[in-house]
Amino acid sequence: QKTYTGDLTYYNLGLGACGETSSNADMAVAVAHSLFDAAALEGSTNPNENPLCGRTIRVSRDYAEIGAGVISVLVKVVDRCVGCEPTDLDLSPAVYDLFAPEEKGRVPGQWEWA
């Protein structure tokens, strides 16, 4: 199982690229547009049919620098992130708040497909 490293950010959820409406309280994530678009089914122009929609990702953040160990949570792919680099994740505020205070804005993290 490959583990990816990237920046974790957060955004206000609504109607996502997967065609469902999510709230800031949901355990949800948007993956990078490059990853999302590359997974699109050949010939399909409907992002709701993207095979990444609904997949589960385990997101982790290592708190070794403060002696607290690793925190990890499961999140569901509901959207694509236009401003994300290929291994960055844009999290719902409910998920991001588990990893850092929102004023941090961007923190390092790891993730893998669950």
Side-chain angles (χ1 to χ4, degrees):
Q1 178 75 315
K2 181 157 175 48
T3 300
Y4 302 92
T5 299
D7 285 345
L8 307 177
T9 54
Y10 68 93
Y11 73 112
N12 288 314
L13 281 75
L15 178 61
C18 292
E20 66 180 74
T21 300
S22 303
S23 81
N24 289 349
D26 290 335
M27 300 301 279
V29 64
V31 296
H33 61 95
S34 56
L35 179 64
F36 189 89
D37 296 348
L41 300 172
E42 189 171 332
S44 173
T45 56
N46 183 348
N48 301 353
E49 297 172 355
N50 192 297
L52 297 185
C53 290
R55 285 208 51 198
T56 304
I57 290 176
R58 178 178 303 281
V59 186
S60 305
R61 182 150 189 248
D62 188 347
Y63 289 91
E65 73 272 9
I66 59 170
V70 176
I71 293 176
S72 78
V73 295
L74 295 175
V75 294
K76 183 172 91 167
V77 176
V78 299
D79 207 351
R80 69 193 281 275
C81 172
V82 177
C84 290
E85 293 299 318
T87 59
D88 293 348
L89 296 177
D90 212 3
L91 305 167
S92 69
V95 176
Y96 185 89
D97 291 349
L98 298 172
F99 296 118
E102 289 180 11
E103 57 268 15
K104 282 244 185 217
R106 180 178 298 271
V107 295
Q110 297 80 40
W111 62 274
E112 61 191 24
W113 295 106

